[in-house]
Amino acid sequence: MSRKDNALGLFANSHDTIDGVNAATEAANKEHLQNMSLMTGLAIFLHNFPEGLATFVAALADSRVGVALAVAIAVHNIPEG
């Protein structure tokens, strides 16, 4: 158990928890973060792959069209960050 510092019996700070509960929570948070990271990476891939493929195919057909499409996609990506 943890040390209680006040008359109400409240924990002194958020780190004063039972060790087993804290470890289980940290493990769950780590797993959630890993899943979120994988999903984010997959979403970015699925969003960017068709753009790259379209630019490649357009550049094969006509280099001016490929450059124009690459610039248009670059401008499109500015608000995305």
Side-chain angles (χ1 to χ4, degrees):
M1 291 298 251
S2 67
R3 178 178 53 98
K4 296 179 183 178
D5 284 343
N6 59 28
L8 296 176
L10 300 175
F11 292 112
N13 61 44
S14 62
H15 299 290
D16 288 342
T17 59
I18 300 170
D19 290 336
V21 173
N22 195 18
T25 302
E26 285 181 18
N29 286 341
K30 183 177 180 181
E31 183 179 350
H32 177 71
L33 184 59
Q34 287 175 339
N35 288 338
M36 189 183 336
S37 300
L38 289 173
M39 289 296 137
T40 301
L42 180 63
I44 291 171
F45 170 77
L46 290 174
H47 176 79
N48 290 334
F49 182 76
E51 294 175 352
L53 187 62
T55 303
F56 174 72
V57 171
L60 286 178
D62 184 3
S63 61
R64 290 184 293 165
V65 173
V67 170
L69 185 58
V71 169
I73 289 174
V75 170
H76 156 79
N77 286 334
I78 290 172
E80 292 178 8

